[in-house]
Amino acid sequence: MIIQNFINGQFVDPLQNKWLDNFCPADGEIYGKIPDSDHEDVEVAYIAAKSAFQTWSRTTVEDRSKILIKLADLIEDNLERLAEAESEDNGKPVKLAKTVDIPRAAENFRFFAHAITQFSSESHETIGQDAINYTLRQPIGVVGCISPWNLPLYLFTWKIAPAIAAGNCVIAKPSEITPLTSFMLGELCNEAGLPHGVLNIVHGIGQNVGHAIVVHPDIKAISFTGGTQTGAKIAIAAAPHFKKLSLELGGKNPNIIFADCDYENMLSTTIRSSFSNQGQICLCGSRIFIEQSLYNQFKSDFVAQIRRLKVGHPNDENTDIGALVSKDHLEKVLDYVKIAVDEGGKVLCGGEQIILKGFDDGYYMSPTVIEVKSDDCRANREEIFGPVVTIMPFTSEQEVLDIANKVDYGLSATIWTNNLNRTMRLTHAIHSGIVWVNTWMLRDLRTPFGGVKQSGLGREGGLEVLRFFTEPKNVCIKY
Ligand code: NAD
């Protein structure tokens, strides 16, 4: 499988004809090549995008919306094919790709096709001065979208859809670890009638082609999702150019469980919030705090259920936990288990690489629960981003709030309780961009999405992201 760049509606090789290997996490085999693009490819993409912007920015909202809806329909028509590709490229269970990743990619286009028709701007009558102010919300121009490997098409389209709905043209770079479904998106864009040059996709390494997008002087905004350290590098590189920046970064999310919760619902949801997508979701609740009086019961039920999860080949419909995304990532996650043990943690289940019969070189690992004595250990403070959670008891609301807020991250938090007053106190006091109460990852695309502290800058979703992808210009008319 040869993946090519998608520039000006054409599939093209990288100018320097350099290529990278693409690995299949399920068996560790190389199954394709992807372009190792650089700044020259970005420049060609930029010229195409700049030219397309002349027309696209003046295309009516209704016409843009129709194309995005068509693209959403085409993603749905190709659901099986895209889900199989996503699973092959990423290692996630194909059933997850079919039910979550690909439907959501379609929904991203459908949602912003509608949202843009409802996007309005403000006007202010300046009484006493015979003047009226109104605010234009104009597309920015050519923008850059850079996405990670954990939810490849889902997060790639989460950026692209609002950017083009708002009238921008895009240069997008998917993760070099999972390039396949974004490559397939190119052909669907052509089929949907998206004018050439509106979306350009360049593949390659972050420090190389990603950096070239970030420092391109005429790419005016960067929407990035990925690791916190990469986000910091991007912020530094973009600063001298005064670009608009949206940074969606890492998380170390607390899952706080009080004894008065709806136990069965909490238990089944906590299994999901811990291990969905092999724990490789920025929103996973990887620090679990349980009220002391419930601790022993939770620990024994949770571990018993985790042991029943099936680690298997992503194609197997019975698989709960597929392969981790890469060999390097598997090694990083296994290292964290060692670190946790060295710091006094006790592995209650899992913690090991799994060699799957017939797929010996695949990147499999058992779902892991570590009981920690103190929240100060590295396993409890640093993002592991794999099938590893820590558990720890707490005795008071204030204690658990302090612990929850102590880490550098602040993306999401989950609280399980039926006490309304406690819910109100905690949701106000917790340091995170998103709080779920008695649920997890229930998403409404109209809501602001993003984190505080080292989890990011700015918000995606709903009208927030349409504001990001437009430049407000105020006009004051004296009459
Ligand atoms: P990463 O930071 O390594 O890479 C993300 C993207 O940035 C990739 O496309 C990569 O090629 C590119 N990149 C790398 N260095 C770059 C540079 N110097 N300049 C420009 N681009 C560069 O992240 P990852 O390992 O792909 O993804 C995992 C991380 O993403 C985790 O930390 C996870 O929490 C985070 N994440 C956050 C959210 C969120 O919404 N907050 C969602 C998903 C994942």
Side-chain angles (χ1 to χ4, degrees), residues 146-150 155 173-176 206-207 210-211 214 224-227 230 234 248-251 282 383 385 411 449:
I146 301 176
S147 59
W149 50 256
N150 65 323
L155 288 175
K173 194 201 93 63
S175 169
E176 62 274 31
Q207 295 91 313
H211 180 74
V214 173
F224 168 79
T225 299
T230 314
I234 288 177
E248 298 293 338
L249 310 177
C282 54
E383 188 183 43
F385 212 56
L411 185 55
F449 181 91

mmCIF file of all heavy atoms in Angstrom, residues 146-150 155 173-176 206-207 210-211 214 224-227 230 234 248-251 282 383 385 411 449, ligand 1:
data_model
loop_
_atom_site.group_PDB
_atom_site.id
_atom_site.type_symbol
_atom_site.label_atom_id
_atom_site.label_comp_id
_atom_site.label_asym_id
_atom_site.label_seq_id
_atom_site.Cartn_x
_atom_site.Cartn_y
_atom_site.Cartn_z
ATOM 1 N N ILE A 146 -3.086 19.729 12.516
ATOM 2 C CA ILE A 146 -2.129 18.639 12.795
ATOM 3 C C ILE A 146 -2.750 17.728 13.852
ATOM 4 O O ILE A 146 -3.171 18.196 14.909
ATOM 5 C CB ILE A 146 -0.789 19.218 13.298
ATOM 6 C CG1 ILE A 146 -0.213 20.162 12.236
ATOM 7 C CG2 ILE A 146 0.193 18.106 13.638
ATOM 8 C CD1 ILE A 146 1.066 20.882 12.654
ATOM 9 N N SER A 147 -2.806 16.422 13.555
ATOM 10 C CA SER A 147 -3.565 15.533 14.443
ATOM 11 C C SER A 147 -2.745 14.312 14.871
ATOM 12 O O SER A 147 -1.754 13.961 14.233
ATOM 13 C CB SER A 147 -4.872 15.120 13.757
ATOM 14 O OG SER A 147 -4.577 14.473 12.546
ATOM 15 N N PRO A 148 -3.178 13.634 15.950
ATOM 16 C CA PRO A 148 -2.430 12.505 16.511
ATOM 17 C C PRO A 148 -2.925 11.150 15.993
ATOM 18 O O PRO A 148 -3.812 11.089 15.137
ATOM 19 C CB PRO A 148 -2.715 12.649 18.003
ATOM 20 C CG PRO A 148 -4.120 13.131 18.047
ATOM 21 C CD PRO A 148 -4.339 13.975 16.816
ATOM 22 N N TRP A 149 -2.383 10.070 16.588
ATOM 23 C CA TRP A 149 -2.656 8.730 16.070
ATOM 24 C C TRP A 149 -3.774 7.999 16.803
ATOM 25 O O TRP A 149 -4.196 6.934 16.374
ATOM 26 C CB TRP A 149 -1.388 7.862 16.143
ATOM 27 C CG TRP A 149 -0.689 7.868 17.474
ATOM 28 C CD1 TRP A 149 0.471 8.543 17.774
ATOM 29 C CD2 TRP A 149 -1.072 7.191 18.679
ATOM 30 N NE1 TRP A 149 0.823 8.335 19.096
ATOM 31 C CE2 TRP A 149 -0.106 7.503 19.675
ATOM 32 C CE3 TRP A 149 -2.130 6.351 19.037
ATOM 33 C CZ2 TRP A 149 -0.168 7.002 20.984
ATOM 34 C CZ3 TRP A 149 -2.205 5.871 20.337
ATOM 35 C CH2 TRP A 149 -1.237 6.190 21.291
ATOM 36 N N ASN A 150 -4.261 8.514 17.924
ATOM 37 C CA ASN A 150 -5.124 7.655 18.748
ATOM 38 C C ASN A 150 -6.544 7.505 18.196
ATOM 39 O O ASN A 150 -7.141 6.441 18.258
ATOM 40 C CB ASN A 150 -5.134 8.129 20.202
ATOM 41 C CG ASN A 150 -5.746 9.487 20.386
ATOM 42 O OD1 ASN A 150 -5.581 10.370 19.544
ATOM 43 N ND2 ASN A 150 -6.455 9.669 21.464
ATOM 44 N N LEU A 155 -10.267 12.605 14.832
ATOM 45 C CA LEU A 155 -9.698 13.897 15.242
ATOM 46 C C LEU A 155 -9.230 14.734 14.048
ATOM 47 O O LEU A 155 -9.241 15.960 14.107
ATOM 48 C CB LEU A 155 -8.544 13.677 16.224
ATOM 49 C CG LEU A 155 -8.985 13.204 17.611
ATOM 50 C CD1 LEU A 155 -7.776 12.890 18.484
ATOM 51 C CD2 LEU A 155 -9.870 14.235 18.308
ATOM 52 N N LYS A 173 -2.009 17.662 8.358
ATOM 53 C CA LYS A 173 -1.028 16.592 8.515
ATOM 54 C C LYS A 173 -1.515 15.595 9.563
ATOM 55 O O LYS A 173 -1.585 15.909 10.746
ATOM 56 C CB LYS A 173 0.325 17.151 8.962
ATOM 57 C CG LYS A 173 1.411 16.104 8.792
ATOM 58 C CD LYS A 173 2.638 16.353 9.638
ATOM 59 C CE LYS A 173 2.604 15.657 10.960
ATOM 60 N NZ LYS A 173 2.564 14.194 10.911
ATOM 61 N N PRO A 174 -1.849 14.377 9.111
ATOM 62 C CA PRO A 174 -2.217 13.349 10.093
ATOM 63 C C PRO A 174 -0.944 12.800 10.731
ATOM 64 O O PRO A 174 0.161 13.072 10.256
ATOM 65 C CB PRO A 174 -2.879 12.282 9.230
ATOM 66 C CG PRO A 174 -2.223 12.424 7.891
ATOM 67 C CD PRO A 174 -1.857 13.878 7.734
ATOM 68 N N SER A 175 -1.121 12.012 11.778
ATOM 69 C CA SER A 175 0.058 11.378 12.388
ATOM 70 C C SER A 175 0.711 10.443 11.378
ATOM 71 O O SER A 175 0.032 9.703 10.658
ATOM 72 C CB SER A 175 -0.375 10.583 13.619
ATOM 73 O OG SER A 175 0.706 9.777 14.046
ATOM 74 N N GLU A 176 2.037 10.438 11.386
ATOM 75 C CA GLU A 176 2.777 9.527 10.497
ATOM 76 C C GLU A 176 2.592 8.074 10.925
ATOM 77 O O GLU A 176 2.896 7.147 10.178
ATOM 78 C CB GLU A 176 4.264 9.894 10.468
ATOM 79 C CG GLU A 176 5.020 9.800 11.792
ATOM 80 C CD GLU A 176 4.905 11.084 12.633
ATOM 81 O OE1 GLU A 176 3.857 11.782 12.551
ATOM 82 O OE2 GLU A 176 5.849 11.359 13.395
ATOM 83 N N GLY A 206 6.568 14.785 12.155
ATOM 84 C CA GLY A 206 6.170 16.036 12.795
ATOM 85 C C GLY A 206 7.237 17.109 12.785
ATOM 86 O O GLY A 206 7.001 18.242 12.373
ATOM 87 N N GLN A 207 8.442 16.738 13.239
ATOM 88 C CA GLN A 207 9.511 17.748 13.359
ATOM 89 C C GLN A 207 9.899 18.310 11.994
ATOM 90 O O GLN A 207 10.534 19.353 11.919
ATOM 91 C CB GLN A 207 10.787 17.138 13.992
ATOM 92 C CG GLN A 207 10.613 16.693 15.423
ATOM 93 C CD GLN A 207 10.188 15.229 15.490
ATOM 94 O OE1 GLN A 207 9.288 14.814 14.772
ATOM 95 N NE2 GLN A 207 10.810 14.458 16.349
ATOM 96 N N GLY A 210 5.509 18.747 9.783
ATOM 97 C CA GLY A 210 4.622 19.428 10.738
ATOM 98 C C GLY A 210 5.192 20.795 11.096
ATOM 99 O O GLY A 210 4.489 21.815 11.084
ATOM 100 N N HIS A 211 6.486 20.810 11.384
ATOM 101 C CA HIS A 211 7.154 22.061 11.729
ATOM 102 C C HIS A 211 7.074 23.057 10.564
ATOM 103 O O HIS A 211 6.871 24.262 10.771
ATOM 104 C CB HIS A 211 8.616 21.758 12.090
ATOM 105 C CG HIS A 211 9.401 22.966 12.473
ATOM 106 N ND1 HIS A 211 9.239 23.614 13.678
ATOM 107 C CD2 HIS A 211 10.351 23.675 11.791
ATOM 108 C CE1 HIS A 211 10.060 24.650 13.728
ATOM 109 N NE2 HIS A 211 10.731 24.719 12.595
ATOM 110 N N VAL A 214 3.864 24.763 10.698
ATOM 111 C CA VAL A 214 3.774 25.696 11.835
ATOM 112 C C VAL A 214 4.520 27.006 11.559
ATOM 113 O O VAL A 214 4.062 28.074 11.945
ATOM 114 C CB VAL A 214 4.305 25.017 13.129
ATOM 115 C CG1 VAL A 214 4.388 26.005 14.278
ATOM 116 C CG2 VAL A 214 3.411 23.833 13.507
ATOM 117 N N PHE A 224 -3.914 22.171 16.617
ATOM 118 C CA PHE A 224 -3.063 21.011 16.905
ATOM 119 C C PHE A 224 -3.676 20.151 17.996
ATOM 120 O O PHE A 224 -4.144 20.665 19.014
ATOM 121 C CB PHE A 224 -1.676 21.491 17.365
ATOM 122 C CG PHE A 224 -0.825 20.394 17.950
ATOM 123 C CD1 PHE A 224 -0.161 19.504 17.123
ATOM 124 C CD2 PHE A 224 -0.702 20.233 19.328
ATOM 125 C CE1 PHE A 224 0.615 18.473 17.653
ATOM 126 C CE2 PHE A 224 0.071 19.204 19.866
ATOM 127 C CZ PHE A 224 0.734 18.331 19.025
ATOM 128 N N THR A 225 -3.662 18.847 17.810
ATOM 129 C CA THR A 225 -3.972 17.912 18.892
ATOM 130 C C THR A 225 -2.829 16.930 18.991
ATOM 131 O O THR A 225 -2.415 16.355 17.969
ATOM 132 C CB THR A 225 -5.293 17.163 18.634
ATOM 133 O OG1 THR A 225 -6.346 18.119 18.570
ATOM 134 C CG2 THR A 225 -5.604 16.182 19.761
ATOM 135 N N GLY A 226 -2.319 16.747 20.199
ATOM 136 C CA GLY A 226 -1.211 15.809 20.400
ATOM 137 C C GLY A 226 -0.652 15.962 21.792
ATOM 138 O O GLY A 226 -1.339 16.427 22.706
ATOM 139 N N GLY A 227 0.596 15.598 21.947
ATOM 140 C CA GLY A 227 1.224 15.595 23.259
ATOM 141 C C GLY A 227 1.548 17.001 23.768
ATOM 142 O O GLY A 227 1.729 17.929 22.976
ATOM 143 N N THR A 230 4.961 18.387 22.557
ATOM 144 C CA THR A 230 4.891 18.848 21.154
ATOM 145 C C THR A 230 4.150 20.183 21.104
ATOM 146 O O THR A 230 4.550 21.087 20.363
ATOM 147 C CB THR A 230 4.147 17.818 20.274
ATOM 148 O OG1 THR A 230 4.636 16.523 20.561
ATOM 149 C CG2 THR A 230 4.326 18.120 18.801
ATOM 150 N N ILE A 234 5.387 23.677 19.433
ATOM 151 C CA ILE A 234 4.605 24.375 18.407
ATOM 152 C C ILE A 234 4.336 25.814 18.845
ATOM 153 O O ILE A 234 4.449 26.756 18.043
ATOM 154 C CB ILE A 234 3.308 23.591 18.111
ATOM 155 C CG1 ILE A 234 3.671 22.319 17.335
ATOM 156 C CG2 ILE A 234 2.293 24.435 17.339
ATOM 157 C CD1 ILE A 234 2.521 21.406 17.020
ATOM 158 N N GLU A 248 -4.770 21.197 21.738
ATOM 159 C CA GLU A 248 -5.475 20.164 22.527
ATOM 160 C C GLU A 248 -4.436 19.137 22.912
ATOM 161 O O GLU A 248 -3.961 18.384 22.059
ATOM 162 C CB GLU A 248 -6.576 19.512 21.672
ATOM 163 C CG GLU A 248 -7.653 20.455 21.213
ATOM 164 C CD GLU A 248 -8.503 20.986 22.350
ATOM 165 O OE1 GLU A 248 -8.557 20.344 23.413
ATOM 166 O OE2 GLU A 248 -9.094 22.061 22.179
ATOM 167 N N LEU A 249 -4.090 19.076 24.203
ATOM 168 C CA LEU A 249 -2.898 18.319 24.602
ATOM 169 C C LEU A 249 -3.241 17.151 25.529
ATOM 170 O O LEU A 249 -4.374 16.693 25.559
ATOM 171 C CB LEU A 249 -1.896 19.297 25.234
ATOM 172 C CG LEU A 249 -1.620 20.554 24.389
ATOM 173 C CD1 LEU A 249 -0.687 21.505 25.100
ATOM 174 C CD2 LEU A 249 -1.076 20.192 23.012
ATOM 175 N N GLY A 250 -2.249 16.712 26.277
ATOM 176 C CA GLY A 250 -2.410 15.500 27.071
ATOM 177 C C GLY A 250 -3.323 15.660 28.279
ATOM 178 O O GLY A 250 -3.769 16.762 28.612
ATOM 179 N N GLY A 251 -3.562 14.535 28.950
ATOM 180 C CA GLY A 251 -4.412 14.567 30.141
ATOM 181 C C GLY A 251 -3.975 13.513 31.138
ATOM 182 O O GLY A 251 -3.227 12.582 30.809
ATOM 183 N N CYS A 282 -7.346 10.599 25.112
ATOM 184 C CA CYS A 282 -6.895 11.676 26.003
ATOM 185 C C CYS A 282 -7.852 11.858 27.178
ATOM 186 O O CYS A 282 -7.493 12.429 28.199
ATOM 187 C CB CYS A 282 -6.772 12.974 25.215
ATOM 188 S SG CYS A 282 -8.289 13.399 24.348
ATOM 189 N N GLU A 383 1.311 11.294 32.091
ATOM 190 C CA GLU A 383 0.403 10.633 31.150
ATOM 191 C C GLU A 383 1.053 9.352 30.620
ATOM 192 O O GLU A 383 2.127 9.404 30.038
ATOM 193 C CB GLU A 383 0.082 11.579 29.988
ATOM 194 C CG GLU A 383 -0.993 11.021 29.085
ATOM 195 C CD GLU A 383 -1.286 11.902 27.874
ATOM 196 O OE1 GLU A 383 -0.333 12.394 27.258
ATOM 197 O OE2 GLU A 383 -2.475 12.071 27.549
ATOM 198 N N PHE A 385 -0.987 6.934 28.796
ATOM 199 C CA PHE A 385 -1.699 6.834 27.520
ATOM 200 C C PHE A 385 -1.734 5.399 27.001
ATOM 201 O O PHE A 385 -1.526 5.125 25.826
ATOM 202 C CB PHE A 385 -1.051 7.767 26.483
ATOM 203 C CG PHE A 385 -2.035 8.327 25.495
ATOM 204 C CD1 PHE A 385 -3.134 9.030 25.922
ATOM 205 C CD2 PHE A 385 -1.856 8.161 24.129
ATOM 206 C CE1 PHE A 385 -4.052 9.548 25.028
ATOM 207 C CE2 PHE A 385 -2.773 8.672 23.209
ATOM 208 C CZ PHE A 385 -3.865 9.374 23.675
ATOM 209 N N LEU A 411 -7.550 18.220 31.653
ATOM 210 C CA LEU A 411 -8.415 18.035 30.482
ATOM 211 C C LEU A 411 -9.844 17.688 30.919
ATOM 212 O O LEU A 411 -10.753 18.487 30.766
ATOM 213 C CB LEU A 411 -7.824 16.963 29.555
ATOM 214 C CG LEU A 411 -8.546 16.749 28.232
ATOM 215 C CD1 LEU A 411 -8.680 18.043 27.449
ATOM 216 C CD2 LEU A 411 -7.826 15.716 27.379
ATOM 217 N N PHE A 449 -14.885 22.110 23.870
ATOM 218 C CA PHE A 449 -14.046 20.952 24.155
ATOM 219 C C PHE A 449 -12.590 21.384 24.274
ATOM 220 O O PHE A 449 -12.035 21.966 23.347
ATOM 221 C CB PHE A 449 -14.179 19.911 23.035
ATOM 222 C CG PHE A 449 -13.359 18.689 23.280
ATOM 223 C CD1 PHE A 449 -13.899 17.608 23.951
ATOM 224 C CD2 PHE A 449 -12.031 18.628 22.882
ATOM 225 C CE1 PHE A 449 -13.123 16.485 24.213
ATOM 226 C CE2 PHE A 449 -11.247 17.508 23.142
ATOM 227 C CZ PHE A 449 -11.802 16.436 23.804
HETATM 228 P P1 NAD B 1 2.450 13.888 19.187
HETATM 229 O O1 NAD B 1 2.508 15.195 19.867
HETATM 230 O O2 NAD B 1 3.676 13.046 19.163
HETATM 231 O O3 NAD B 1 2.047 14.074 17.649
HETATM 232 C C1 NAD B 1 0.851 14.706 17.258
HETATM 233 C C2 NAD B 1 1.012 15.244 15.851
HETATM 234 O O4 NAD B 1 1.977 16.293 15.878
HETATM 235 C C3 NAD B 1 1.536 14.226 14.850
HETATM 236 O O5 NAD B 1 0.913 14.443 13.599
HETATM 237 C C4 NAD B 1 3.012 14.555 14.778
HETATM 238 O O6 NAD B 1 3.621 14.163 13.574
HETATM 239 C C5 NAD B 1 2.970 16.064 14.902
HETATM 240 N N1 NAD B 1 4.214 16.682 15.391
HETATM 241 C C6 NAD B 1 5.171 16.144 16.176
HETATM 242 N N2 NAD B 1 6.150 17.041 16.405
HETATM 243 C C7 NAD B 1 5.813 18.187 15.752
HETATM 244 C C8 NAD B 1 6.407 19.468 15.615
HETATM 245 N N3 NAD B 1 7.574 19.765 16.207
HETATM 246 N N4 NAD B 1 5.762 20.396 14.880
HETATM 247 C C9 NAD B 1 4.584 20.123 14.291
HETATM 248 N N5 NAD B 1 3.969 18.918 14.374
HETATM 249 C C10 NAD B 1 4.570 17.964 15.106
HETATM 250 O O7 NAD B 1 1.226 13.126 19.822
HETATM 251 P P2 NAD B 1 0.767 11.624 19.553
HETATM 252 O O8 NAD B 1 1.751 10.714 20.225
HETATM 253 O O9 NAD B 1 0.460 11.455 18.110
HETATM 254 O O10 NAD B 1 -0.650 11.595 20.326
HETATM 255 C C11 NAD B 1 -0.778 11.295 21.672
HETATM 256 C C12 NAD B 1 -0.973 12.548 22.490
HETATM 257 O O11 NAD B 1 -2.083 13.286 21.996
HETATM 258 C C13 NAD B 1 -1.304 12.264 23.932
HETATM 259 O O12 NAD B 1 -0.557 13.127 24.756
HETATM 260 C C14 NAD B 1 -2.780 12.578 24.044
HETATM 261 O O13 NAD B 1 -3.232 12.956 25.319
HETATM 262 C C15 NAD B 1 -2.904 13.696 23.079
HETATM 263 N N6 NAD B 1 -4.296 13.865 22.648
HETATM 264 C C16 NAD B 1 -4.992 14.954 23.091
HETATM 265 C C17 NAD B 1 -6.338 15.114 22.732
HETATM 266 C C18 NAD B 1 -7.135 16.300 23.198
HETATM 267 O O14 NAD B 1 -8.199 16.535 22.630
HETATM 268 N N7 NAD B 1 -6.688 17.071 24.173
HETATM 269 C C19 NAD B 1 -6.935 14.165 21.905
HETATM 270 C C20 NAD B 1 -6.194 13.079 21.486
HETATM 271 C C21 NAD B 1 -4.871 12.937 21.849
#
